[in-house]
Amino acid sequence: MMVAGAKALELKKHDVDALNVFPVPDGDTGTNMFLTIQSAARDSEKVTSQAISDVAAAASMGSLMGARGNSGVILSQLLRGIAKGFEGLLTANPLQVAQALQAGVDTAYKAVMKPVEGTILTVSKETAKAALTKAKGGGSLIETLQDAHNKGMECLAKTPDMLPVLKQAGVVDAGGQGFLIILGGWIAVLKGETVTPDSHDEVGQKTAPSNQDTHDIQREFMRIEDLDYPYCTEFLIKGTDLRVERIRQDLKDRGDSLLVVGTPEVIKIHVHVKNPGKILEYAIQWGSLHQVQIHNMLEQNENMAHSMKTEPTELTEALFDETSTFSETQPMKEFGLVAVVMGQGIADVYKSLGVDEVVYGGQTMNPSTEDLAEAVRKISARHVFILPNNGNIIMAARQVSDIIQDRGVSVISSKSIPQGISALLSFNSEGEAEANVKNMERALGNVVSGEVTYAVRDSQFGTINISSGDILGLVEDTIVTSGQSLFEVAQATLEKMDWKIHDLVTIFYGEETKQEEVERLENWLKEENPNVEVEVHPGRQPLYYYIFGVE
């Protein structure tokens, strides 16, 4: 069930991504949920026990470690609750499965500080309720889950009526749809069927047609022994000038199920290939390789109940040292700092302010809980503070304390790069941990954050009509202006931030922003109000032409 659910979402993740409410380059709900459920499926496959409790526990831990974005974290909490519901069980009857689903819903609701209806929470709640009703009435396992799926579909179709922002964007809830796709995979494998397009795809298509053709599902679920590309290959490339689109184009004809996401500093690659060595040989031209995993899907099919770990090759042994714990010989300090950033220039600024470990990520590439935990382990400190700097990473960061037990971990709820900097300036290395948390959280309100990016699709936000390719200005994650001129949109965004009444304007310009544009904007600011200090930094961030901080 776990493997089939992951495969089902892998095939449809782009359809779920297309349901994004905002037309800006985003964290991609479908991709985040897929990477989360994929991690759960991998860990569940390593279990040799036949007890459902053991398989569910492994899936729960895998999803916890692999959780990305808010949607991925909520999914991991659903699986965590399901695992609790199966504790101590060798097998489970339909009622116990329904009760486990309800335990998952309860756990997910508790994990969210302010649950919002009309989201994956509501959809999962309705599916669990329907499952309990059917199971108590004597329904079989397939009947129980099918009723749950049908009820979930009805609820998903109503999510635009629960959340005005969904109705305005003309989409159903992306997280809810992702959950139902996974559930559809569970039902299909229990029936002994291959996964095929079903009614849940139609709901999304009515409201938000996918901007990318989907894979042929029957082809993906053909007999495994007929696979043209039997090796599932995954790894990270770390460098200084990585080109996501160029790498994606270079690899598109070399395999199947290709996923290339990332930034100029770090890229995640997933692909099914005939010869993993050729892909690694290509990738190493771009930078250093990390977290290399190669799975033989033919062998996995023959040994589904057993662990399958690819032995390290000479190449991986020579290139990768994935030890993530700090050295015993390193001097232990009181505090450490981890920050999530996008762009080498921004990373340099954060390091200059005392950050020990930088995790590259943000929009379009939300780091997992495991990524953040690895960064924490690298720091020889008794207490580590994490600055997520993105609202879609905060929940994943808060799960790190569930993994790291040997030191204190505090998450500062920074939602932007400027907020993170403001928090760092309030950090006191000689103070107490609790006092630092209070001071850093308080400092988040000292700065107004803005961004200038571009629209990835036609949309309407409030009274603003947006066309694909338009330049967009955002203040505190809300679209406030759009247009064709980068300079004019940047001006309008700063005006919405009331920059003239503040003391300092900080500008990080992106990797695609031309120097003459930066100078033009800087000169305008100085001419308009010479009393406001202006700081300009080459952020080198992707996707965003400018990131503004006003304080």
Side-chain angles (χ1 to χ4, degrees), residues 16 73 85 108 130 199 201 204 221 238 257 259 316 328 359 389 438 442 478 495 515 531:
V16 179
V73 171
S199 58
D201 299 320
F221 281 84
K238 295 184 180 180
S257 298
L259 171 70
T316 58
E328 295 284 345
V359 178
N389 297 335
K438 290 181 179 178
R442 190 181 300 118
T478 299
E495 295 290 0
Q515 191 63 40
N531 296 322

Side-chain angles (χ1 to χ4, degrees), residues 75-360:
L75 175 60
S76 75
Q77 292 300 312
L78 286 167
L79 294 177
R80 187 177 188 176
I82 289 172
K84 289 179 182 177
F86 285 141
E87 280 182 355
L89 297 180
L90 178 63
T91 60
N93 59 37
L95 180 58
Q96 290 169 324
V97 170
Q99 290 170 336
L101 284 172
Q102 184 60 55
V105 172
D106 294 340
T107 302
Y109 265 88
K110 290 177 183 176
V112 179
M113 295 180 67
K114 295 180 180 179
V116 176
E117 299 302 332
T119 65
I120 182 176
L121 292 172
T122 311
V123 174
S124 62
K125 178 175 65 177
E126 292 302 314
T127 60
K129 188 185 300 182
L132 282 169
T133 299
K134 189 66 175 180
K136 288 177 179 177
S140 68
L141 178 57
I142 291 176
E143 291 171 340
T144 295
L145 292 181
Q146 190 64 64
D147 266 28
H149 188 276
N150 292 342
K151 186 63 176 179
M153 289 299 304
E154 293 177 12
C155 179
L156 180 66
K158 296 175 182 177
T159 53
D161 296 326
M162 303 179 204
L163 279 177
V165 68
L166 294 176
K167 177 165 283 190
Q168 185 176 57
V171 296
V172 295
D173 178 66
Q177 178 148 18
F179 173 74
L180 291 176
I181 291 173
I182 293 170
L183 181 56
W186 294 355
I187 294 169
V189 76
L190 288 172
K191 290 181 176 179
E193 300 174 352
T194 55
V195 176
T196 56
D198 58 28
S199 58
H200 63 244
D201 299 320
E202 295 173 5
V203 173
Q205 294 297 335
K206 289 176 183 176
T207 53
S210 171
N211 54 12
Q212 177 171 337
D213 291 336
T214 59
H215 293 287
D216 178 2
I217 295 192
Q218 290 288 0
R219 177 173 60 84
E220 185 73 14
F221 281 84
M222 62 186 172
R223 291 183 305 120
I224 194 77
E225 55 264 40
D226 292 335
L227 280 176
D228 291 329
Y229 305 104
Y231 293 99
C232 177
T233 305
E234 286 190 295
F235 54 94
L236 297 179
I237 307 176
K238 295 184 180 180
T240 57
D241 187 25
L242 304 179
R243 302 176 186 179
V244 177
E245 190 55 39
R246 166 74 181 278
I247 292 173
R248 185 183 292 118
Q249 290 299 316
D250 287 350
L251 295 181
K252 69 176 184 177
D253 296 324
R254 300 196 187 193
D256 200 1
S257 298
L258 176 66
L259 171 70
V260 180
V261 294
T263 72
E265 288 77 33
V266 58
I267 287 177
K268 168 92 172 188
I269 293 178
H270 166 279
V271 64
H272 297 171
V273 295
K274 290 181 179 179
N275 187 336
K278 290 183 178 180
I279 295 296
L280 296 177
E281 184 178 359
Y282 163 81
I284 202 169
Q285 301 175 55
W286 289 91
S288 60
L289 307 187
H290 302 262
Q291 299 179 23
V292 177
Q293 298 183 64
I294 301 171
H295 299 277
N296 184 333
M297 293 183 289
L298 292 173
E299 185 174 345
Q300 284 180 316
N301 185 60
E302 296 166 0
N303 305 282
M304 285 298 289
H306 298 282
S307 171
M308 202 297 288
K309 292 184 178 179
T310 301
E311 291 297 322
T313 64
E314 292 183 7
L315 175 63
T316 58
E317 288 176 339
L319 293 176
F320 317 126
D321 177 11
E322 291 304 308
T323 303
S324 59
T325 54
F326 59 84
S327 168
E328 295 284 345
T329 61
Q330 285 182 295
M332 179 72 75
K333 59 181 181 178
E334 191 63 30
F335 297 127
L337 294 162
V338 172
V340 180
V341 304
M342 51 180 182
Q344 185 60 50
I346 295 175
D348 292 342
V349 170
Y350 267 74
K351 288 177 180 178
S352 73
L353 293 173
V355 168
D356 300 282
E357 289 291 329
V358 163
V359 178
Y360 289 100

Side-chain angles (χ1 to χ4, degrees), residues 69-70 73-74 77 111-112 369 391-400:
N70 293 340
V73 171
I74 293 174
Q77 292 300 312
V112 179
T369 298
N392 206 34
I393 300 174
I394 293 174
M395 288 185 70
R398 286 178 175 152
Q399 293 194 142
V400 171

Side-chain angles (χ1 to χ4, degrees), residues 378-422:
K378 288 180 179 178
I379 304 173
S380 181
R382 295 182 178 85
H383 197 107
V384 179
F385 301 91
I386 302 176
L387 295 162
N389 297 335
N390 185 297
N392 206 34
I393 300 174
I394 293 174
M395 288 185 70
R398 286 178 175 152
Q399 293 194 142
V400 171
S401 59
D402 293 337
I403 300 170
I404 304 293
Q405 303 288 326
D406 61 349
R407 73 201 75 182
V409 178
S410 295
V411 177
I412 308 302
S413 56
S414 55
K415 296 182 179 180
S416 68
I417 294 299
Q419 280 192 351
I421 291 174
S422 182

